[in-house]
């Protein structure tokens, strides 16, 4: 059997981080088995589905390199087929027309809740004749679900799960306006697309029982189900806005690399021994469903930051320069000339060692491009007292004769100066860092001065000394 999986999001909002993990698990499982991974946009709710949400799904999957192996399927395009199957079930006596009014349905739900039953519809029209139908009411079509026995699913993550058929009522297949419901549409599309494995959140487990009943009624081969636990917040509660970013576009804006995010997400509810950092090729080779945890996974932003920092350190310098140069220019409100790009390129090896996100990398690199006089932060201002300015003035005199202007020559001059003044190296390195970067933390100050160049270094020192 050739494996075919699908990611089937509803385009009613952003692409959720939990949805991304579901897409990733489906993608990895298909790739591991040399199968196909498909995308189905479940846009049957036309009132809530939006083009922006569809584009967000497509863009998010593209950024993560989780594009489907074929063109995306839109569920709304298959509504005729869905209606056709509903009417076939009707003709076969496996479905029926229901004429209940909204008031009657509300009364049934209230009665069910008061008695503690899960069957919210009491089957009023299940066995009635059409002659009893009231005039002027468009009926819905309901599935005639089995009343006895139980529905059993051999779930590849949850194990054997079952439900008494008495707990499941007769679900609606076609609404009164003729539009199909999600459960009917999903079953038909999964069958028509040849889906062999449905990997999704365990909040869909109840749907799986209903869908299994439909597959049996239609005498179609059932797919294998694998219901994975949802992602929870650090506090164990269901992930929500109060826990921070939810949409994948937010993670991109916050400065996470797609490779790092995928590495973190695949370990969120799945494991391969003690491996923490691994390539996507290794993930494809190792991924299976037997090592998916049955318990909910908690997102840990500190861990995500750590993984992201690792990937930033391992990323090619030129790639990082190309990745952030436009954002840097936007922050500076000016384009980067060749000299500026040269500074960024020379400094990248050290810059990337000190950050956890691309956003931090952008922030951390800006001091190389500040227009004089540069902005000095509060902590640096405290360092640049009158004594520090005297030291910097004396040091700048030494700098005038430095040639060539290299990191090694700068280091020699500063160390000799500290020895001459009988001070520790930090006593001159700290105010020098504050004067050249406006901050108390930066890459090595010898490197910073070398990358800024002699003219810029001397100019920044002059601004501080004369202030």
């Amino acid at each position: 059997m050739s494996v075919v999986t699908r990611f089937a999001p509803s385009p009613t909002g952003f692409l959720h981080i939990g949805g991304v993990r579901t897409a990733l698990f489906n993608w990895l499982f298909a790739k591991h088995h040399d199968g196909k991974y498909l995308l189905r946009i479940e846009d049957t709710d036309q009132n809530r589905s939006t083009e922006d949400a569809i584009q967000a799904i497509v863009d998010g999957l593209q950024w993560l390199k989780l594009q489907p192996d074929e063109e995306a399927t839109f569920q709304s395009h298959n509504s005729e087929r869905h209606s056709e199957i509903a009417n076939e079930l009707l003709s076969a006596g496996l479905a029926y027309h229901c004429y209940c009014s909204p008031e009657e349905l509300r009364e049934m739900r209230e009665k069910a809740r008061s008695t503690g039953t899960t069957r919210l519809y009491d089957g009023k029209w299940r066995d009635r004749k059409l002659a009893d139908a009231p005039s002027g009411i468009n009926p819905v079509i309901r599935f005639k679900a089995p009343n006895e026995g139980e529905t059993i699913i051999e779930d590849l993550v949850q194990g054997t799960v079952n439900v008494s058929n008495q707990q499941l009522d007769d679900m609606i297949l076609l609404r009164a306006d003729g539009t199909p419901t999600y459960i009917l549409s999903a079953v038909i599309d999964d069958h028509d697309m040849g889906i062999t494995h449905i990997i999704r959140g365990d909040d869909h487990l109840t749907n799986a029982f209903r869908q299994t009943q439909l597959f049996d009624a239609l005498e179609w081969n059932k797919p294998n189900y694998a219901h994975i636990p949802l992602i929870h917040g650090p506090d164990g509660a269901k992930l929500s806005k109060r826990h921070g970013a939810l949409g994948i576009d937010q993670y991109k804006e916050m400065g996470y690399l797609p490779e790092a995010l995928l590495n973190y997400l695949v370990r969120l509810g799945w494991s391969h021994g003690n491996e923490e950092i691994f390539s996507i090729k290794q993930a494809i080779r190792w991924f299976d469903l037997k090592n998916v945890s049955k318990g909910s996974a908690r997102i840990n932003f500190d861990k995500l930051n750590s993984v992201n920092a690792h990937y930033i350190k391992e990323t090619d310098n030129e790639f990082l320069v190309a990745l952030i140069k436009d954002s840097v220019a936007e922050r500076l409100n000016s384009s980067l000339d060749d000299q500026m790009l040269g500074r960024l390129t020379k400094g990248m090896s050290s810059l990337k060692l000190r950050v956890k996100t691309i956003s931090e990398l952008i922030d951390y690199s800006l001091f190389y491009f500040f227009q004089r006089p540069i902005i000095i932060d509060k902590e640096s201002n405290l360092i640049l007292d009158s004594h520090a300015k005297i030291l910097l003035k004396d040091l700048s005199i030494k700098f005038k004769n430095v040639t060539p202007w290299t990191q090694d020559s700068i280091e020699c001059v500063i160390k000799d100066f500290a020895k001459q003044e009988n001070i520790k190296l930090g006593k001159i390195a700290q105010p020098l860092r504050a004067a050249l970067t406006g901050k108390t933390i930066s890459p090595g100050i010898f490197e910073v001065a070398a990358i800024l160049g002699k003219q810029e270094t001397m100019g920044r020192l002059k601004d501080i000394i004369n202030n």
Side-chain angles (χ1 to χ4, degrees), residues 307-377:
V307 173
N308 201 54
H310 170 85
Y311 274 86
I312 290 175
K313 291 181 179 69
E314 296 297 316
T315 299
D316 178 75
N317 289 352
E318 291 185 3
F319 178 86
L320 289 174
V321 170
L323 183 65
I324 72 170
K325 64 180 183 180
D326 290 341
S327 296
V328 169
E330 186 177 336
R331 291 284 296 277
L332 298 171
N333 199 27
S334 67
S335 59
L336 300 184
D337 58 25
D338 290 342
Q339 183 185 49
M340 289 177 165
L341 282 175
R343 289 179 188 172
L344 185 58
T345 302
K346 290 176 183 177
M348 186 55 71
S349 291
S350 293
L351 290 170
K352 70 181 185 180
L353 297 178
R354 292 166 168 80
V355 300
K356 295 177 181 178
T357 67
I358 298 300
S359 301
E360 286 183 1
L361 182 62
I362 294 168
D363 291 339
Y364 201 55
S365 68
L366 292 178
F367 74 87
Y368 276 125
F369 317 109
F370 287 152
Q371 295 294 310
R372 293 176 45 207
I374 69 170
I375 300 171
I376 307 296
D377 66 23

Side-chain angles (χ1 to χ4, degrees), residues 3-7 22-24 26-28 30-31 35-39 61 66-70:
V3 166
V4 183
T5 66
R6 49 76 161 174
F7 175 49
T22 298
L24 174 60
N26 277 280
W27 186 87
L28 287 173
K31 298 302 176 187
K36 282 197 301 186
Y37 155 76
L38 305 178
L39 172 64
L61 294 178
L66 296 179
Q67 299 100 318
D69 296 319
E70 296 178 1

Side-chain angles (χ1 to χ4, degrees), residues 440-452:
T440 57
I441 300 174
S442 76
I445 195 58
F446 311 133
E447 177 186 338
V448 168
I451 291 173
L452 284 173

Side-chain angles (χ1 to χ4, degrees), residues 7 16 53 91 114 120 146 178 198 224 246 265 301 322 324 387 445:
F7 175 49
H16 193 283
S91 298
S114 66
L120 302 182
I198 295 176
N224 296 285
L246 291 177
L265 284 177
F301 288 101
I324 72 170
H387 178 65
I445 195 58

